[in-house]
Amino acid sequence: MMNPLNKRFPKEFKANIGRYISTFILLVITIIVGSGALIVMEGAKATIDETDVENAVEDGFFETKHEISKAALKAIEKRDIHVYENFYIKDKEFDGNAKFYVFNERKEVDLPSLFEGRLPDETADDEIALDRIFALNRNIQIGDRIDVNGDGLLVTGIVALPDYNALFLNNQDMMMNTKDFGVSVVSERTFGAMKDEGLTYRYSYRFDERDKTDKEKSDEAEEIFKILVKNGADVQEFLTAEGNQSITYLKNDMGHDGPMIKMFVYILVAVIAFIFAVLTANTIEQEAAIIGTLRALGYKKGEIIFHYLVPTLVIATLASAVGNLLGYTVMIDAFKSVYYEMYSLPPLRISFNAEAFILTTVVPVVIMVAVNFIMLYDKLSLSPLKFLRKDLKKRHQKKAVRLPAFDFLTRFRIRVILQNKGSFLVMFFGIFFSSFLLMFGIGLSPLMDHYVDEADNTLTYEYLYMLKNKVPASGGEKLYMTTLSTQYYLSGKDMDITFYGVDTDKSDSLFADACVPVEKGQIAVTDSFAKKMKKNVGDVVLFRDKNTDESYYLEIAAINSYTNNMGAYMDRGQLNRMLDNRNDEYNAYVSNEKLDIDDEDIAKFMKRDDMVGAAAQMMASFGGIITAFNVFSIFAYIVIMYLLTKVVIDKNSLYISFMKVFGYEKNEIRKLYLDASAIVTVISLFICLPLEVWFFKAAMVYFSSLIEGYMDFYLPTSVYVKIVLIGIISYFGINALHMNRIKKIPMSEALKNRE
């Protein structure tokens, strides 16, 4: 026989249709984000792992000024390590302003994944396959002809290279450069026919033993480096796969994004669950006499708990099912596009993911049911008599809280707040969570713009030339540049720091404001270095030279204002003496004008846009995500405020009815009840701001720990103003709906409840 209580469900859903629809939509959006993102993320991770094996991704590479000797090659390969030529030619200003690497044909290592078209024909001498992201951002199609150092090449294919799934021009860059840096492959015949301007000798290596630990890989890399130095190779750059952002950035990003997305889903589901619990608790209070009657007639507590859990169970289950359905279908392409717009990935293979399904279907339902069950079990532990008397308080306050001698309106509002403190506390957390998301969305753009502006303002030169050979250059300022490593206090891992040896005796030096000391054993560090490493003037830092395994203790004598690099500055003579070089040794030029240096003498050429422009490009890629983030945050604001302020009106509907009987106008009632909610909303918005800033700063520290560079926290006043205004405008939009609800409360409500 059907339980008579079940007949109440249609009426219950109809009476509270707004509550259920709002909660359902919020849950669906949350689960769409969680399921779609996790599915695509797991698909991308699986695809990359497969590609690493199938396409034989390198275990590291090194670049040298000249070809390495056969003796060095044999010594390395004796350690069961295969070394492959992975030479490339650079076009310094492709299509006007881009950096472009053309790699020789790859047959054994770092094999390209084909997206469209075909790979260059081995018999042709004018064909090229372009990286997908670079081709997309430059609007280059298959069949187009492009100019590379004066050679006209036909684009035959669109590819992804496994050693460049994230397009970092320099490994120390803060951001990928998806528009002004690209890679490509040509056939061996085409490579031989091209002008060898900017030829770079890169060698990729792979271990024969594929299950080495990270420690073993690191030790082997150091042995390779020692062999190269011993055999006279002038190493320009040496990177292991683990230290190469172009290979590991996406893997690390997914490794950190996955837990963050799960946390985001669970926090928001928990907030929704508490909101639902508050709403259900309000329903229990309104129907106390009915529950008391049912208990007196013999209904068990478990039966009543189940009855009031059913709406929660139905909404949570339907939302999880719909959210996952949309996440697996409609939203898959949207989430794939997020990755495809930023990363150069091979074609993704999406499949059913059991873990993601459990995390975004089972877990949200469990959270919703558990929170509401605990509340219901606690509420329904009272005796039937208490329910019949509508006396649902376990602890009775002997006296009302004594309030100061405020005016009547103020004291009444305070009473309303105190009576609904549970609802307002949940609303506070909801406002905090929503406004934090909003701060992140609104604040990211000005933060990135500030970083770009500061880096641009503190970069004192237009061009940097790293040299293969020492050559005179009229108008250039000599530098000696090297890389030393130091331990990062958060991760315990070594971090590469660029050392700049500059001429402190030059009155017109481009580094005149770098505060470079002339004393032995002293350095000036950049503002970015000092903040990331938590160092101050007078601190002594240990640096290690990976080339020689020598260690140096250097004192920070000054912190300059530069934010464009993680750098340390020394007098050139002092740096050369420390490294046992000739006193006047140099390997780079900086200048504000282009220098007349042959390409064959240049190891690396950088211009201002290369060093500071990537962040601006990244904002274009993030634009859609940020907009979606902000829309969701505002929607969450509105739903949370609407549901919880509605509770205040529902709980006080009897008193509002009495006030109508006594002749109070709706505006007067608004001042008594809705203004109390408005006060809590505004106070919550302002109290949440410093908390949100603290969490934002912590997030920035965490973000900086994942990358080589450092991005300082910055939020303009306009961001705070926007957050508060959006919150207030959202509330007053809801307020208008509640005014209509107050208008509909009948005066007969007071006459029905004369007890």
Side-chain angles (χ1 to χ4, degrees), residues 456-479:
D456 193 26
N457 292 338
T458 59
L459 188 65
T460 58
Y461 50 86
E462 293 291 330
Y463 303 99
L464 167 67
Y465 297 82
M466 296 286 293
L467 303 176
K468 288 182 181 178
N469 306 303
K470 289 192 294 184
V471 291
S474 177
E477 181 176 341
K478 294 177 181 177
L479 290 178

CSV table of all heavy atoms in Angstrom, one decimal, residues 456-479:
chain,number,residue,atom,x,y,z
A,456,ASP,N,57.6,45.4,-18.7
A,456,ASP,CA,58.0,46.3,-19.8
A,456,ASP,C,58.7,47.5,-19.3
A,456,ASP,O,59.7,47.9,-19.9
A,456,ASP,CB,56.7,46.7,-20.6
A,456,ASP,CG,57.1,47.3,-22.0
A,456,ASP,OD1,58.2,47.0,-22.5
A,456,ASP,OD2,56.3,48.1,-22.5
A,457,ASN,N,58.2,48.1,-18.3
A,457,ASN,CA,58.8,49.3,-17.7
A,457,ASN,C,60.2,49.1,-17.1
A,457,ASN,O,61.0,50.0,-17.1
A,457,ASN,CB,57.9,49.9,-16.7
A,457,ASN,CG,56.6,50.5,-17.2
A,457,ASN,OD1,56.5,50.8,-18.4
A,457,ASN,ND2,55.6,50.6,-16.4
A,458,THR,N,60.4,47.9,-16.6
A,458,THR,CA,61.7,47.7,-16.0
A,458,THR,C,62.7,47.0,-16.9
A,458,THR,O,63.8,46.7,-16.4
A,458,THR,CB,61.5,46.8,-14.7
A,458,THR,OG1,60.9,45.6,-15.0
A,458,THR,CG2,60.7,47.5,-13.7
A,459,LEU,N,62.3,46.7,-18.1
A,459,LEU,CA,63.3,46.1,-19.1
A,459,LEU,C,64.0,47.3,-19.7
A,459,LEU,O,63.4,48.2,-20.4
A,459,LEU,CB,62.5,45.3,-20.2
A,459,LEU,CG,63.4,44.5,-21.1
A,459,LEU,CD1,64.2,43.4,-20.4
A,459,LEU,CD2,62.6,43.9,-22.2
A,460,THR,N,65.3,47.4,-19.5
A,460,THR,CA,66.1,48.6,-19.9
A,460,THR,C,66.7,48.5,-21.3
A,460,THR,O,67.4,49.4,-21.7
A,460,THR,CB,67.2,48.8,-18.9
A,460,THR,OG1,68.1,47.6,-18.8
A,460,THR,CG2,66.6,49.0,-17.5
A,461,TYR,N,66.4,47.5,-22.0
A,461,TYR,CA,67.0,47.4,-23.4
A,461,TYR,C,66.0,46.8,-24.3
A,461,TYR,O,65.0,46.2,-23.9
A,461,TYR,CB,68.3,46.5,-23.4
A,461,TYR,CG,68.1,45.2,-22.7
A,461,TYR,CD1,67.6,44.1,-23.4
A,461,TYR,CD2,68.4,45.0,-21.3
A,461,TYR,CE1,67.5,42.9,-22.8
A,461,TYR,CE2,68.3,43.8,-20.7
A,461,TYR,CZ,67.8,42.7,-21.4
A,461,TYR,OH,67.6,41.5,-20.8
A,462,GLU,N,66.2,47.0,-25.6
A,462,GLU,CA,65.3,46.5,-26.6
A,462,GLU,C,65.7,45.1,-27.2
A,462,GLU,O,64.8,44.3,-27.5
A,462,GLU,CB,65.2,47.5,-27.8
A,462,GLU,CG,64.6,48.8,-27.4
A,462,GLU,CD,63.1,48.7,-27.1
A,462,GLU,OE1,62.4,47.8,-27.7
A,462,GLU,OE2,62.6,49.5,-26.3
A,463,TYR,N,67.0,44.9,-27.3
A,463,TYR,CA,67.5,43.7,-27.9
A,463,TYR,C,68.5,43.0,-27.1
A,463,TYR,O,69.4,43.6,-26.4
A,463,TYR,CB,68.1,44.0,-29.3
A,463,TYR,CG,67.1,44.7,-30.2
A,463,TYR,CD1,67.1,46.1,-30.4
A,463,TYR,CD2,66.1,44.0,-30.9
A,463,TYR,CE1,66.2,46.7,-31.2
A,463,TYR,CE2,65.2,44.6,-31.7
A,463,TYR,CZ,65.3,46.0,-31.9
A,463,TYR,OH,64.4,46.6,-32.7
A,464,LEU,N,68.5,41.6,-27.1
A,464,LEU,CA,69.5,40.8,-26.4
A,464,LEU,C,70.1,39.8,-27.4
A,464,LEU,O,69.3,39.1,-28.1
A,464,LEU,CB,68.9,40.1,-25.2
A,464,LEU,CG,69.7,39.0,-24.6
A,464,LEU,CD1,71.0,39.6,-23.9
A,464,LEU,CD2,68.9,38.2,-23.6
A,465,TYR,N,71.4,39.8,-27.5
A,465,TYR,CA,72.1,38.9,-28.4
A,465,TYR,C,72.9,37.9,-27.6
A,465,TYR,O,73.9,38.4,-26.9
A,465,TYR,CB,73.0,39.6,-29.4
A,465,TYR,CG,72.2,40.5,-30.4
A,465,TYR,CD1,71.9,41.8,-30.0
A,465,TYR,CD2,71.9,40.1,-31.7
A,465,TYR,CE1,71.2,42.7,-30.8
A,465,TYR,CE2,71.3,41.0,-32.5
A,465,TYR,CZ,70.9,42.3,-32.1
A,465,TYR,OH,70.3,43.1,-33.0
A,466,MET,N,72.6,36.6,-27.6
A,466,MET,CA,73.5,35.6,-27.0
A,466,MET,C,74.4,35.1,-28.1
A,466,MET,O,73.9,34.8,-29.2
A,466,MET,CB,72.7,34.5,-26.4
A,466,MET,CG,71.8,34.8,-25.2
A,466,MET,SD,72.7,35.2,-23.7
A,466,MET,CE,73.3,33.5,-23.4
A,467,LEU,N,75.7,35.1,-27.8
A,467,LEU,CA,76.7,34.8,-28.9
A,467,LEU,C,77.2,33.4,-28.9
A,467,LEU,O,77.4,32.8,-27.9
A,467,LEU,CB,77.8,35.8,-28.7
A,467,LEU,CG,77.5,37.3,-28.7
A,467,LEU,CD1,78.8,38.1,-28.4
A,467,LEU,CD2,76.9,37.7,-30.0
A,468,LYS,N,77.4,32.9,-30.1
A,468,LYS,CA,78.2,31.7,-30.3
A,468,LYS,C,79.6,32.0,-30.3
A,468,LYS,O,80.5,31.2,-29.8
A,468,LYS,CB,77.8,31.0,-31.6
A,468,LYS,CG,76.4,30.4,-31.7
A,468,LYS,CD,76.2,29.7,-33.1
A,468,LYS,CE,74.9,29.1,-33.2
A,468,LYS,NZ,74.7,28.5,-34.5
A,469,ASN,N,80.0,33.1,-31.0
A,469,ASN,CA,81.4,33.5,-31.1
A,469,ASN,C,81.5,35.0,-30.7
A,469,ASN,O,80.6,35.8,-30.9
A,469,ASN,CB,81.8,33.4,-32.6
A,469,ASN,CG,81.6,32.0,-33.1
A,469,ASN,OD1,82.1,31.0,-32.5
A,469,ASN,ND2,80.9,31.9,-34.2
A,470,LYS,N,82.6,35.3,-30.0
A,470,LYS,CA,82.8,36.7,-29.6
A,470,LYS,C,83.2,37.5,-30.8
A,470,LYS,O,84.2,37.2,-31.5
A,470,LYS,CB,84.0,36.7,-28.6
A,470,LYS,CG,83.6,36.2,-27.2
A,470,LYS,CD,84.6,36.5,-26.2
A,470,LYS,CE,86.0,35.8,-26.4
A,470,LYS,NZ,86.9,36.1,-25.4
A,471,VAL,N,82.4,38.5,-31.1
A,471,VAL,CA,82.6,39.4,-32.2
A,471,VAL,C,82.3,40.8,-31.8
A,471,VAL,O,81.5,41.1,-30.8
A,471,VAL,CB,81.6,39.0,-33.4
A,471,VAL,CG1,81.9,37.7,-34.0
A,471,VAL,CG2,80.1,39.1,-32.9
A,472,PRO,N,83.0,41.8,-32.4
A,472,PRO,CA,82.8,43.2,-32.0
A,472,PRO,C,81.4,43.6,-32.6
A,472,PRO,O,81.0,43.1,-33.6
A,472,PRO,CB,83.9,43.9,-32.7
A,472,PRO,CG,84.3,43.0,-33.9
A,472,PRO,CD,84.1,41.6,-33.4
A,473,ALA,N,80.8,44.5,-31.9
A,473,ALA,CA,79.5,45.0,-32.3
A,473,ALA,C,79.3,46.5,-31.9
A,473,ALA,O,79.2,46.8,-30.7
A,473,ALA,CB,78.3,44.2,-31.8
A,474,SER,N,79.4,47.4,-32.8
A,474,SER,CA,79.3,48.8,-32.5
A,474,SER,C,77.9,49.1,-31.9
A,474,SER,O,76.9,48.8,-32.5
A,474,SER,CB,79.5,49.6,-33.8
A,474,SER,OG,79.4,51.0,-33.6
A,475,GLY,N,77.9,49.8,-30.8
A,475,GLY,CA,76.7,50.2,-30.2
A,475,GLY,C,76.1,49.3,-29.2
A,475,GLY,O,75.1,49.5,-28.5
A,476,GLY,N,76.7,48.1,-29.0
A,476,GLY,CA,76.2,47.1,-28.1
A,476,GLY,C,77.0,47.2,-26.7
A,476,GLY,O,78.1,47.5,-26.7
A,477,GLU,N,76.3,46.8,-25.7
A,477,GLU,CA,76.9,46.8,-24.3
A,477,GLU,C,77.2,45.3,-24.0
A,477,GLU,O,76.3,44.5,-24.0
A,477,GLU,CB,76.0,47.4,-23.3
A,477,GLU,CG,76.6,47.4,-21.9
A,477,GLU,CD,75.7,48.1,-20.9
A,477,GLU,OE1,74.8,48.9,-21.3
A,477,GLU,OE2,75.9,47.8,-19.7
A,478,LYS,N,78.4,45.0,-23.7
A,478,LYS,CA,78.8,43.7,-23.4
A,478,LYS,C,78.3,43.2,-22.0
A,478,LYS,O,78.2,43.9,-21.1
A,478,LYS,CB,80.4,43.5,-23.4
A,478,LYS,CG,81.0,43.8,-24.7
A,478,LYS,CD,82.5,43.8,-24.6
A,478,LYS,CE,83.2,44.0,-26.0
A,478,LYS,NZ,84.6,44.1,-25.9
A,479,LEU,N,78.0,41.9,-22.0
A,479,LEU,CA,77.5,41.2,-20.8
A,479,LEU,C,78.2,39.8,-20.8
A,479,LEU,O,78.6,39.3,-21.8
A,479,LEU,CB,76.0,40.9,-20.9
A,479,LEU,CG,75.0,42.0,-20.7
A,479,LEU,CD1,73.6,41.4,-20.9
A,479,LEU,CD2,75.1,42.7,-19.4
